[in-house]
Amino acid sequence: MEQLLPKVGRYEFTVEPFHCDFSNHYFLGHLGNAMLNAADYHSDARGYGMSYLNREHKTWVLSRLAIEMEHFPVAYDRIAIETWVDGVMRFFTSRNFAVTDAATGQPYGYGRSVWAMIDTDTRQPCDILALKDGLIEQYLKRDKPCPIAAPGRVKIGTAELTDSKTMRYSDIDINGHVNSVKYIEHVLDLWGLDWHRSHRLRRFEIAYVAESHEGDTLDFFREQAADGEFRVRVAKHGEGTDVCRCTLSFDRQM
Amino acid sequence: MEQLLPKVGRYEFTVEPFHCDFSNHYFLGHLGNAMLNAADYHSDARGYGMSYLNREHKTWVLSRLAIEMEHFPVAYDRIAIETWVDGVMRFFTSRNFAVTDAATGQPYGYGRSVWAMIDTDTRQPCDILALKDGLIEQYLKRDKPCPIAAPGRVKIGTAELTDSKTMRYSDIDINGHVNSVKYIEHVLDLWGLDWHRSHRLRRFEIAYVAESHEGDTLDFFREQAADGEFRVRVAKHGEGTDVCRCTLSFDRQM
């Protein structure tokens, strides 16, 4: 029987100056990357990470991600990302994140994510509870607070075509499809510097619907739901298949 | 009198899985980022970094960069970047890099760069030798080998328009213009996955000519100089002003 590790993993990162935007705040895409890296380290050390799954012809697939920030760290800040699994069902597991100041523990913000496990040969979902006799259930941590809303269904009405981009070499990750956080970057690029200067992103939520690949041209449709509240639908040009759907909440900067 | 630090700075980085390409090798753009971060840490600790210069209304500007790799690290590798200043003149300083396996010291590759210092109010070059009574000269390290050619003048003939991209929020850094390594990403995107699958990038050289900003549409002109040897000119659409010029050398993969 393997020795169990702590349920919560904690990983420190430095906010590199070249990972910050024009206002010196950490790019949400880079923060998302750091969260996915923390998830990877956490699951790997506990025996159900990518390196184990890949040998079994299985992989984790990110299904939904919500990030909500009180404020963003700036260049040279040392941050800690805590991550833990707070729910598991047959076909989905939910993983939470807390982003804190590494020295003081003060929270910058939180994340919630939903993952599926698929068979890389058949692309069909796998039974997560069957993995190593239910190993993940032993790591369930339900009592640690994550005070943001879970990511939900994103309904989009009559959004307007705002941009189109063709996916290239630098968008593609080891899985051969467009990297999950690259969508975040491309979506945030729908707003110009003037907007980002006068508004602070508070919450970003993304639901992944289908994979996209090199050479796919993606259409970005945007609609405004309320003051500072937007929805974005990303679809494959021509086919019209949805690739992902996002909601964004901005606060006006004083 | 300040206590002098070692002339060579050494900084360790983990190659994050989400900073790797489809073939699991470190993206050159992310490696370039790590090198610039190392340069920043090195100069900052020695009293002539951005945080000091910015108070004096001055800043470093990267003028040329060459990176030449024997092979690229892969996900989870722990690398060390060594950096040192090997030459200083009134208006330019040259800084070298060695990228090694953090545990064994085996080299992955090297970098050479040329920097100018400018006054951020007038945008005019400053006398580097006058900085803190010639402080940088005390950190000159000429005898550490950096066995790659220095970046030189890039001459481009009749290159063909290959792509155009408009610069967005995520391209812009704290200086308010397009981040130096973002050009590397955009240039490497001129080649598709098929090319990157059958060729390994050996050397990338870039000369920065002018700044570009959010909303600028950049035209990418490419020409083939020899087998696996390319030149790329990046120019502002409409104006035709050159922004940067690159040379790339690829080896065919067996």
Side-chain angles (χ1 to χ4, degrees), chain B residues 226-240:
Chain B
D227 191 29
E229 305 283 322
F230 294 88
R231 300 184 189 121
V232 175
R233 186 165 73 84
V234 182
K236 280 189 206 173
H237 185 77
E239 303 171 44

Side-chain angles (χ1 to χ4, degrees), chain A residues 79-92:
Chain A
I79 63 169
I81 297 184
E82 292 179 302
T83 181
W84 64 99
V85 173
D86 87 321
V88 60
M89 293 189 301
R90 194 164 162 210
F91 292 130
F92 288 103

Side-chain angles (χ1 to χ4, degrees), chain B residues 8 12 20 38 61 64 68 71 76 79 104 128 132 140 166 186 194 209 212 215-216 227 234-235:
Chain B
V8 179
E12 293 197 6
C20 293
V61 174
R64 292 167 192 268
E68 196 167 325
H71 53 283
Y76 303 108
I79 62 168
T104 67
I128 298 172
K132 289 188 173 177
L140 269 185
T166 302
H186 293 314
D194 276 347
V209 182
S212 69
D216 286 345
D227 191 29
V234 182

Side-chain angles (χ1 to χ4, degrees), chain A residues 23-55:
Chain A
S23 70
N24 204 33
H25 292 89
Y26 206 17
F27 273 120
L28 187 72
H30 284 291
L31 175 63
N33 247 333
M35 288 168 131
L36 296 192
N37 284 330
D40 186 61
Y41 297 149
H42 177 269
S43 57
D44 210 58
R46 284 153 186 80
Y48 51 88
M50 293 290 192
S51 60
Y52 168 75
L53 288 186
N54 289 349
R55 290 195 300 272

